[in-house]
Structures are given as structure tokens and as C-alpha cells.
């Protein structure tokens, strides 16, 4: 009896050991952020073009709020191009000082909170995906593929990667509003995984309002609400021979088998999809009303659309960033500018439908792919966009276990992010280089993003093929 009692205690300790480790690392990341935020003045992250863009810079937001306080339009000049709602929330914090420290300290605390809440939502999303993954493998009779080691789950891994990613930390400390935008994107994905249509609609509307590009996530969100979380191809469940299920009835009751197959291949829930679209309309109307009230004395909604979404689509600001559009439109002739604007923006739309058809059984992974593609081709990208899709990528640790070139991609991301500030310094401050030095790192970063998307999609599809092959082999053995 004592031996059994000690064994039970050891099992309980092993079960409680994992969450304790997770919370220790999560709290440590918060402490690190708070320390870096306190000494952020000496780090000079706010002036880095990789961190702050014309849309996400807190200093531009502070300038817009100063103009608003001076009874002028916050969009006067060419400084601020963000949301008037974000200006109303963060603007007063930029003028409030704490113990002689600058006002941006309160905004940085808000960014730290947004990062932490986003990581917790990623963790909750990962737990739902892990539970669905386990259920689908058991329903296919492939329970032996489940990991039984004492490592953290994919949700914990994704949350910790998001919290400890240097790109996420730099974005949080560098006075950029990207953590808030990322939080709303993650909120929308979590709401869809939890099949909470109002929450998913709210996150999607706010994310789209802040940066426009998350609008393409409406497709994976609808698929998540309609079909549920990611699963193997539904043909695997439809191809199960009824005779095989009768042979398995000695081990599992036929009623349980029918229930399992019913859960594994749910019909599309049009009610949830229509409910989501209704809430999108409600939240959009609510946001438009608030924006109209905020800018009614500064040109109205037409001026706001021109200065925000028009600014994004026309790529007016050609200051350097980690993207590829700024250099291209600085060199292209004005006669061809509108043509290439259409090409670059429509290029995102061209990839939406084929990917949605091929990956409709994995809508959460589809959301990661869309996020990475928008980060690749958006007008003013930053490292905060990379931090978001890298965090979402880790939700699929099981499916991406056999991904090719993972070590090369890791080294490439590290090398590019270290070389980028060096090349910028050689170009801007030392004068020993030119724009081609910095643009070369931007091209390399884009190439690594393309390889990451291609290889991750290939790895997931190969994982589905592996499940199909193992399931077919198992059915043949049963026969």
C-alpha cells in the first residue's frame, strides 16, 4: 500500500510539475519586460525602423494627440495615420508621467499586459487544438502516435515562444502599438476556436480597424466556427469501411463508434457562421459610430479613411522598414506606380481562395498562413508581425515535427535580424554603405518568410498523408 501511495504521489507531482514550470517561465518573461521597459530610454528601440513603422509608432501617436489637444486634426501633416479610437485611449497616457519618468511608460505597461494576455489566449487555443488532435488520432485508431513524454504541450510551447521571442520583447519595449494589434488577432482566433461568435467578431473587427490586413482572416474564422478546430482530412473518416467497424465491435461498442465518427466529421454550422457575420456587422457599425464621433470636427469618416486605409494602400511613406515595398516604390517610375500598387495588393487576394480550398480542414493553420502572407506583403511590416506568426506556428508542433530546413530557417532569422541594424547603421549613420545594404537584409528576410510558409504547409500536408497511410494500413491489418 505504501508503494502504491508513493507511486500515486509521484504521478501527481509529475502532473503538477509542468504547469508550475510554465508559470515560472511566464512570470520571468513579465519581469524581464518590466525591467527593459524601465530602462528603455537607454536601449533606443523606439527609433529602430524594424520596430516602429508609420502606423505603429507611439511617438507619432503622441504627436497626433498633441495636434488634437491643440484643436487641430490629428491627421494634419504626415505624422499620425492610426485609429482615432487608439488615439483616444493611448493619447492621454503619453502625457502622463510617473515619478519624473516619461509618459510612454504607462503605454509600455499596457503593451506588456497585451503581450501576456495574448500569450494566455495562444495557450488556451493550443490546448483546444491538442485536445482535438488527440481525439482525432484516437478515432482513427492511431493513439500510439500521441506523445507520452513529460514535455509541455504545444499550447504551452507556443505561449512561451511568444513570450520569450526576442522580436516580441523588442516590439513591446520599443514603444510600438503592434502588441495591441496582435492581441486582437489572437483574440479573434481564440474566439473562433472556442466557437464564440461575438468574441471572434469583436477581435476581427478591431484588428481590421487597426491595421486593415487582418480582414483576410474572415475566411479561417468562419471555417473554425463552421467546422471546428483542425482535423485530418475528412476523407479519412468517410473512407472507413463499415465492415471494419463491425469487426472492432468486440472491443468498442458500436454506439460509441458511431458517436466517434459523428464527432470526427461534423457538418458545417451555418447558424454559427451567420451569427458571426451578424456580430461583425454590429461591431463594425459600433466602431464606425465611435470613429465618427471622434473625428466629426476633423473632416469626418472620409478624412479618416483617406488618412488611415488610404495611407496603407497607397504606400505614401517610403521610410525604410523590413519590407520590400519601400525601396521598390522609391525606384519605380510614377507612371507605373498605380499598376504595381494593384499588383502587390491583389497578390494577397489571389492566394486566399486556393489556400482556403486546400487547407479548409485545418482552419487554424490557415489563419497562421494568412498572417504570415500578410506580414510578407503588407505596406509597413515590422518585427511585431513576425513575432505573431512565429507564435502561431508553434501551435502545430506535432504536425511540423518533420519539417525540412528548420535549423537553416532558425539560423537565417537570427542572422537577418542581427544584420539588419548593422546595415542600417552603415547606411544612415556611418555613411560607408547605401540603401542596397539595408534592402539586402529586407530581401533575405522576405525569402526566409517565403521558405517558412512553403515548408510549413508542405509539412502539414505530409503529416495528413502519413495519417492516411497509417489509417489505411491499420484497416488492411484488421481485415
Amino acid at each position: 500500500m505504501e508503494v502504491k501511495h508513493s507511486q500515486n504521489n509521484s504521478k501527481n507531482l509529475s502532473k503538477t510539475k509542468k504547469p508550475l514550470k510554465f508559470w515560472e517561465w511566464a512570470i520571468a518573461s513579465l519581469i524581464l519586460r518590466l525591467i527593459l521597459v524601465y530602462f528603455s530610454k537607454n536601449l533606443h528601440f523606439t527609433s529602430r525602423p524594424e520596430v516602429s513603422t508609420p502606423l505603429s509608432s507611439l511617438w507619432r501617436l503622441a504627436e497626433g494627440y498633441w495636434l488634437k489637444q491643440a484643436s487641430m486634426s490629428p491627421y494634419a501633416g504626415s505624422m499620425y495615420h492610426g485609429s482615432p479610437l487608439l488615439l483616444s485611449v493611448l493619447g492621454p497616457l503619453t502625457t502622463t508621467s510617473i515619478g519624473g519618468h516619461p509618459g510612454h511608460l504607462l503605454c509600455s505597461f499596457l503593451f506588456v499586459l497585451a503581450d501576456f494576455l495574448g500569450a494566455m489566449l495562444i495557450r488556451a487555443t493550443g490546448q483546444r487544438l491538442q485536445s482535438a488532435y488527440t481525439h482525432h488520432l484516437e478515432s482513427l485508431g492511431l493513439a500510439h502516435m500521441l506523445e507520452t513524454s513529460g514535455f509541455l504541450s504545444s499550447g504551452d510551447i507556443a505561449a512561451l515562444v511568444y513570450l520569450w521571442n526576442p522580436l516580441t520583447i523588442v516590439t513591446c519595449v520599443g514603444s510600438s502599438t503592434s502588441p495591441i494589434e496582435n492581441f486582437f488577432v489572437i483574440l479573434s482566433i481564440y474566439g473562433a476556436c472556442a466557437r464564440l461568435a461575438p468574441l471572434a467578431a469583436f477581435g476581427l473587427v478591431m484588428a481590421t480597424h487597426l491595421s486593415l490586413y487582418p480582414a483576410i482572416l474572415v475566411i479561417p474564422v468562419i471555417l473554425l466556427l463552421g467546422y471546428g478546430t483542425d482535423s485530418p482530412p475528412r476523407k479519412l473518416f468517410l473512407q472507413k469501411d463499415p465492415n471494419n467497424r463491425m469487426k472492432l465491435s468486440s472491443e468498442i461498442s458500436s454506439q460509441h463508434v458511431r458517436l466517434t465518427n459523428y464527432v470526427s466529421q461534423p457538418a458545417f454550422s451555418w447558424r454559427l457562421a451567420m451569427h458571426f457575420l451578424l456580430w461583425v456587422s454590429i461591431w463594425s457599425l459600433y466602431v464606425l459610430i465611435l470613429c465618427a464621433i471622434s473625428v466629426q470636427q476633423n473632416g469626418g469618416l472620409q478624412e479618416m479613411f483617406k488618412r488611415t486605409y488610404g495611407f496603407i494602400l497607397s504606400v505614401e511613406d517610403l521610410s525604410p522598414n523590413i519590407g520590400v515595398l519601400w525601396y521598390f516604390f522609391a525606384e519605380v517610375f510614377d507612371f507605373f506606380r498605380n499598376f504595381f500598387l494593384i499588383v502587390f495588393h491583389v497578390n494577397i487576394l489571389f492566394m486566399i481562395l486556393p489556400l482556403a480550398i486546400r487547407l479548409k480542414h485545418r482552419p487554424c493553420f490557415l489563419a497562421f498562413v494568412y498572417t504570415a502572407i500578410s506580414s510578407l506583403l503588407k505596406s509597413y511590416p515590422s518585427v511585431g508581425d513576425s513575432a505573431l506568426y512565429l507564435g502561431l506556428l508553434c501551435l502545430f508542433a506535432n504536425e511540423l515535427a518533420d519539417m525540412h530546413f528548420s535549423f537553416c530557417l532558425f539560423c537565417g532569422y537570427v542572422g537577418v535580424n542581427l544584420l539588419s541594424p548593422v546595415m542600417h547603421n552603415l547606411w544612415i549613420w556611418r555613411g560607408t554603405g547605401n540603401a542596397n545594404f539595408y534592402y539586402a537584409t529586407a530581401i533575405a528576410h522576405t525569402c526566409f518568410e517565403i521558405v517558412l510558409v512553403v515548408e510549413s504547409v508542405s509539412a502539414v500536408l505530409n503529416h495528413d498523408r502519413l495519417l492516411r497511410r497509417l489509417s489505411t494500413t491499420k484497416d488492411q491489418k484488421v481485415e
Side-chain angles (χ1 to χ4, degrees):
M1 293 295 292
E2 293 179 356
V3 174
K4 292 182 178 179
H5 183 69
S6 61
Q7 289 178 351
N8 292 332
N9 288 338
S10 62
K11 290 181 180 179
N12 293 332
L13 287 174
S14 63
K15 290 180 180 179
T16 58
K17 192 175 180 180
K18 290 191 290 185
L20 282 177
K21 284 186 177 180
F22 171 81
W23 288 111
E24 288 173 0
W25 283 104
I27 293 173
S29 69
L30 285 181
I31 295 174
L32 176 63
R33 278 171 167 77
L34 294 176
I35 293 174
L36 293 178
V37 163
Y38 189 79
F39 296 101
S40 60
K41 185 186 295 185
N42 301 323
L43 298 176
H44 305 291
F45 286 147
T46 56
S47 60
R48 298 303 314 163
E50 301 88 1
V51 178
S52 296
T53 68
L55 291 176
S56 63
S57 174
L58 186 64
W59 299 116
R60 287 177 176 254
L61 186 144
E63 181 71 18
Y65 185 71
W66 184 88
L67 291 173
K68 185 176 181 180
Q69 292 298 101
S71 299
M72 300 173 63
S73 172
Y75 301 112
S78 59
M79 287 300 294
Y80 185 64
H81 299 279
S83 164
L85 302 183
L86 197 63
L87 186 71
S88 301
V89 174
L90 297 182
L93 299 180
T94 60
T95 60
T96 304
S97 60
I98 304 176
H101 293 281
H104 70 82
L105 200 62
L106 286 176
C107 294
S108 298
F109 290 151
L110 185 61
F111 299 153
V112 171
L113 179 62
D115 267 355
F116 183 75
L117 293 178
M120 295 303 102
L121 291 177
I122 288 178
R123 184 178 185 236
T125 303
Q127 290 173 347
R128 290 180 177 274
L129 291 175
Q130 186 81 22
S131 176
Y133 180 79
T134 302
H135 169 72
H136 290 308
L137 287 184
E138 291 177 349
S139 63
L140 290 173
L142 302 175
H144 62 277
M145 294 183 61
L146 298 174
E147 295 289 339
T148 57
S149 59
F151 291 107
L152 297 174
S153 66
S154 59
D156 294 344
I157 293 173
L160 290 179
V161 166
Y162 185 76
L163 285 174
W164 282 98
N165 190 341
L167 303 181
T168 314
I169 297 174
V170 167
T171 303
C172 180
V173 178
S175 297
S176 171
T177 59
S178 294
I180 296 179
E181 300 170 8
N182 293 346
F183 168 75
F184 283 116
V185 172
I186 297 170
L187 180 67
S188 177
I189 296 174
Y190 168 75
C193 286
R195 311 194 86 174
L196 300 174
L199 187 63
F202 175 73
L204 183 65
V205 168
M206 290 304 301
T208 304
H209 172 66
L210 293 177
S211 58
L212 184 61
Y213 289 96
I216 63 176
L217 294 178
V218 65
I219 294 178
V221 168
I222 289 178
L223 291 176
L224 274 169
L225 290 169
Y227 286 119
T229 53
D230 295 23
S231 67
R234 289 172 176 80
K235 291 186 293 184
L236 287 182
F237 305 102
L238 296 176
Q239 289 174 354
K240 302 285 281 185
D241 189 358
N243 296 326
N244 294 335
R245 286 199 289 269
M246 292 298 294
K247 292 180 180 180
L248 292 174
S249 60
S250 59
E251 300 178 2
I252 306 174
S253 64
S254 59
Q255 181 180 0
H256 178 71
V257 172
R258 288 194 299 269
L259 179 61
T260 300
N261 283 277
Y262 175 76
V263 175
S264 301
Q265 42 176 328
F268 186 83
S269 177
W270 288 102
R271 183 184 64 82
L272 271 178
M274 298 305 296
H275 194 204
F276 166 75
L277 295 177
L278 176 63
W279 275 103
V280 166
S281 303
I282 294 174
W283 289 122
S284 299
L285 181 62
Y286 187 62
V287 169
L288 286 177
I289 292 174
L290 292 179
C291 290
I293 295 174
S294 180
V295 298
Q296 61 180 347
Q297 297 179 350
N298 301 310
L301 290 177
Q302 183 178 359
E303 180 70 11
M304 185 201 75
F305 287 141
K306 179 182 177 182
R307 295 289 187 171
T308 54
Y309 302 143
F311 179 78
I312 295 174
L313 296 176
S314 61
V315 196
E316 297 177 9
D317 194 311
L318 301 180
S319 57
N321 53 58
I322 62 173
V324 296
L325 299 190
W326 64 272
Y327 187 88
F328 183 85
F329 285 108
E331 298 294 333
V332 73
F333 291 108
D334 291 339
F335 179 78
F336 299 103
R337 180 179 173 84
N338 292 333
F339 169 75
F340 283 107
L341 280 174
I342 296 174
V343 169
F344 277 108
H345 292 307
V346 172
N347 195 17
I348 300 177
L349 302 178
F350 279 160
M351 288 183 272
I352 290 179
L353 187 59
L355 287 170
I357 294 174
R358 188 65 184 87
L359 296 172
K360 65 179 181 180
H361 62 287
R362 293 192 176 273
C364 195
F365 181 76
L366 181 65
F368 151 74
V369 175
Y370 282 179
T371 305
I373 290 176
S374 63
S375 172
L376 179 69
L377 295 173
K378 69 190 308 184
S379 304
Y380 309 102
S382 68
V383 294
D385 303 313
S386 301
L388 174 61
Y389 70 73
L390 288 176
L392 295 177
L393 176 67
C394 295
L395 290 172
F396 313 97
N398 297 308
E399 292 85 345
L400 300 176
D402 297 325
M403 178 177 168
H404 299 304
F405 310 119
S406 55
F407 180 73
C408 295
L409 286 171
F410 173 78
C411 295
Y413 268 87
V414 172
V416 166
N417 284 287
L418 291 178
L419 278 177
S420 183
V422 174
M423 296 303 177
H424 186 265
N425 181 270
L426 291 176
W427 171 32
I428 299 297
W429 300 108
R430 297 187 180 275
T432 56
N434 53 38
N436 294 324
F437 283 52
Y438 187 73
Y439 189 59
T441 60
I443 293 178
H445 184 267
T446 302
C447 291
F448 283 120
E449 285 183 318
I450 294 173
V451 174
L452 177 67
V453 172
V454 172
E455 290 300 324
S456 60
V457 172
S458 177
V460 169
L461 295 180
N462 287 335
H463 182 78
D464 291 341
R465 296 187 187 101
L466 175 63
L467 294 180
R468 183 184 298 113
R469 185 168 63 252
L470 292 176
S471 178
T472 304
T473 303
K474 185 178 182 301
D475 290 342
Q476 291 175 353
K477 288 182 179 180
V478 171
E479 291 177 358

